[in-house]
Amino acid sequence: VQIVPDGIEAEDAIFMPSVETALSLVHDAHVRLGENVAVYGQGLIGLLVTAILSMHHSTTISSSKQFCSVTAFDALDDRLAMSSKMGATSALQPQTAGIAGPFDVCIEVSGNPRALQSAIDNTSNNGRIIVGSWYGNTDVALKLGIDFHRSHKTIQTSQVSTIPSTMTGLWNKERRFALTWALVRSLQPSRLISKRTTLTDVQEAYELLDGGKEIAICFKYNK
């Protein structure tokens, strides 16, 4: 149970778990000043990852797009438009990744194996690929041939449930919760709500989300 801090609107507060997930991904990516990052997938979590990364990238340094860039990839134009509003340096169709890259870090939150392959292919040698997608029982076929074998790239999964052991000397869930609420206050993620409805339309709402036709749906409860 989390107590909503004073001054945070209810429609922003409902995004707290999603913001924590995005923060966990950014922590796992361990992006250093000057590194270029790609975020594959601009659904709710991807947009929040883009926003958090963009908060910490200097516009002065990144103006040349040689350092500190945040490149967002998605196949849907409305999501790319929102990526730009959330601070992405560039918001591009996935097929352009080979031209836009390579990247020091790629964060994959698309749920699409082709995006994961693109993230692997377009990460620089010695770079990092952070996988936030949950593929469930789906078999994922990847090409990990000689180029990958020689690349010293790191593929790491990311999951929000626990604090990674490498961070527990400084971080615990309480500290991350506190930072998450601060990010909720700053980002005002309610601007990502693309539809408001009631629980009577819950089936339609989930079908719209599953089909990529909405970014975030807010359910209104009758008093």
Side-chain angles (χ1 to χ4, degrees):
V1 176
Q2 288 283 311
I3 298 174
V4 179
D6 292 339
I8 293 180
E9 298 295 328
E11 286 194 349
D12 287 319
I14 61 177
F15 287 89
M16 187 273 187
S18 298
V19 173
E20 188 194 8
T21 298
L23 173 60
S24 176
L25 282 156
V26 172
H27 274 174
D28 283 337
H30 192 58
V31 179
R32 301 172 181 88
L33 181 65
E35 291 186 330
N36 295 319
V37 190
V39 184
Y40 282 81
Q42 291 296 282
L44 175 59
I45 300 301
L47 285 166
L48 291 170
V49 169
T50 295
I52 293 172
L53 287 169
S54 298
M55 291 176 68
H56 298 284
H57 280 61
S58 166
T59 55
T60 301
I61 296 176
S62 65
S63 60
S64 67
K65 297 186 180 180
Q66 294 179 342
F67 302 104
C68 297
S69 66
V70 179
T71 303
F73 291 106
D74 202 281
L76 300 177
D77 290 337
D78 60 333
R79 295 188 179 189
L80 293 178
M82 184 59 73
S83 301
S84 297
K85 292 180 181 179
M86 300 301 280
T89 311
S90 301
L92 306 172
Q93 291 283 334
Q95 61 269 25
T96 66
I99 299 172
F103 304 97
D104 302 300
V105 182
C106 285
I107 300 174
E108 191 274 304
V109 284
S110 70
N112 188 323
R114 289 178 296 175
L116 177 55
Q117 184 67 64
S118 180
I120 294 169
D121 293 343
N122 293 294
T123 297
S124 297
N125 289 356
N126 302 291
R128 306 180 298 286
I129 302 103
I130 308 300
V131 184
S133 292
W134 184 72
Y135 288 99
N137 295 322
T138 303
D139 291 332
V140 176
L142 298 173
K143 297 178 181 179
L144 303 176
I146 189 65
D147 290 339
F148 175 79
H149 184 69
R150 292 174 171 173
S151 70
H152 293 278
K153 299 175 187 179
T154 300
I155 301 176
Q156 178 182 333
T157 61
S158 180
Q159 218 284 330
V160 70
S161 297
T162 58
I163 302 292
S165 59
T166 55
M167 294 178 58
T168 53
L170 294 172
W171 286 83
N172 54 30
K173 289 287 282 188
E174 288 70 28
R175 184 180 182 185
R176 193 166 71 184
F177 284 150
L179 178 54
T180 298
W181 281 120
L183 288 169
V184 169
R185 189 189 303 276
S186 176
L187 292 174
Q188 297 181 327
S190 59
R191 56 187 163 140
L192 295 174
I193 295 173
S194 53
K195 182 179 179 65
R196 293 172 176 81
T197 188
T198 64
L199 289 178
T200 58
D201 297 321
V202 65
Q203 181 65 35
E204 178 191 8
Y206 281 113
E207 289 174 356
L208 289 170
L209 289 170
D210 187 54
K213 296 179 180 178
E214 302 289 348
I215 294 173
I217 296 178
C218 175
F219 292 109
K220 293 290 188 179
Y221 291 82
N222 295 326
K223 294 182 179 180

